[in-house]
Amino acid sequence: MAKQIYLVRHGETAWSLTGQHTGRTDLPLTENGEHQASQLGERLRQVAFAHVLTSPLQRARLTCELAGYGAMAQVEPDLREWDYGAYEGLTTPVIREQEPGWNIFQFGCPLGESVEQMSQRADRVLADLRMMDGRLVLFSHGHFLRTLAVRWIGLPVREGQHFALDTATISILGYEPHSAETPVISVWNCNS
């Protein structure tokens, strides 16, 4: 059984700076994003990981490599970001001009992934992770990691809207110390 699961959101990209939804568009890291990724490596170095998994998208893979884990990383396609479909590259205010009150965690995306599809994908990933031993680290994306975290503690995807997640941050999923079968979020959105 996985002892702890470290969640690492990739470093800064041009679209994370502007607030554009970046799903399948394979953007590189900015220069600052590369620096953030290197700093992540310094923060993670004292932790021994049994497994390192990364999204196939370059912003996550490069974050993984610059953090020093590229050689042992396994690419996991299910760690990719939410598919924003028709909303790819748009900001929330622009989307809300056409769809007032839109929230990805409640409505999903037309021509992209629905809330139910995201829930199923996160549950599939978690089932696989629970079969692994030791401490794990995942390099992935903001909306996917927020979905994964709420599903870890048994909440519906819509609750992911309450978990802000900055670029180049570390979060940790684990278990209640006095009850190893109760999943908890031990650390969230840590950038120091």
Side-chain angles (χ1 to χ4, degrees), residues 10 54-55 57-65 139-141:
H10 63 77
T54 184
S55 160
L57 297 170
Q58 70 173 314
R59 58 194 180 271
R61 282 187 297 109
L62 186 55
T63 299
C64 178
E65 289 170 20
F139 291 84
S140 189
H141 311 273

Side-chain angles (χ1 to χ4, degrees), residues 85-96:
Y87 294 158
E88 181 77 10
L90 301 179
T91 64
T92 297
V94 168
I95 296 166
R96 286 182 176 166

Side-chain angles (χ1 to χ4, degrees), residues 16 39 49 65 83 91 101 112 118 125 141 151:
S16 68
Q39 288 182 320
F49 295 107
E65 289 170 20
D83 184 344
T91 64
M118 281 301 291
V125 167
H141 311 273
R151 295 303 300 141

Side-chain angles (χ1 to χ4, degrees), residues 3-169:
K3 181 178 179 180
Q4 287 181 315
I5 303 170
Y6 280 61
L7 308 178
V8 179
R9 184 176 176 203
H10 63 77
E12 176 188 275
T13 68
W15 283 11
S16 68
L17 278 174
T18 59
Q20 293 170 264
H21 292 291
T22 318
R24 62 186 179 272
T25 302
D26 204 6
L27 293 179
L29 298 175
T30 62
E31 186 176 326
N32 183 52
E34 290 179 6
H35 177 70
Q36 290 174 325
S38 297
Q39 288 182 320
L40 280 167
E42 293 171 19
R43 292 172 32 217
L44 291 169
R45 251 183 256 311
Q46 60 267 29
V47 183
F49 295 107
H51 302 278
V52 177
L53 303 173
T54 184
S55 160
L57 297 170
Q58 70 173 314
R59 58 194 180 271
R61 282 187 297 109
L62 186 55
T63 299
C64 178
E65 289 170 20
L66 292 172
Y69 295 95
M72 64 183 294
Q74 176 183 342
V75 173
E76 172 49 62
D78 277 344
L79 294 181
R80 70 190 182 285
E81 180 60 295
W82 199 312
D83 184 344
Y84 299 114
Y87 294 158
E88 181 77 10
L90 301 179
T91 64
T92 297
V94 168
I95 296 166
R96 286 182 176 166
E97 287 174 10
Q98 301 169 10
E99 190 72 38
W102 176 80
N103 179 313
I104 191 167
F105 293 103
Q106 294 178 10
F107 303 111
C109 300
L111 305 177
E113 284 180 291
S114 69
V115 171
E116 181 58 31
Q117 288 170 319
M118 281 301 291
S119 185
Q120 291 171 358
R121 180 154 57 101
D123 289 349
R124 186 171 59 240
V125 167
L126 289 172
D128 290 343
L129 297 177
R130 285 186 173 109
M131 300 300 291
M132 297 179 180
D133 290 324
R135 197 170 276 124
L136 319 174
V137 61
L138 313 179
F139 291 84
S140 189
H141 311 273
H143 283 137
F144 179 74
L145 291 176
R146 291 163 70 179
T147 299
L148 195 72
V150 296
R151 295 303 300 141
W152 173 257
I153 57 175
L155 296 176
V157 171
R158 73 176 173 270
E159 300 305 328
Q161 67 187 316
H162 302 293
F163 291 80
L165 193 58
D166 299 324
T167 56
T169 54

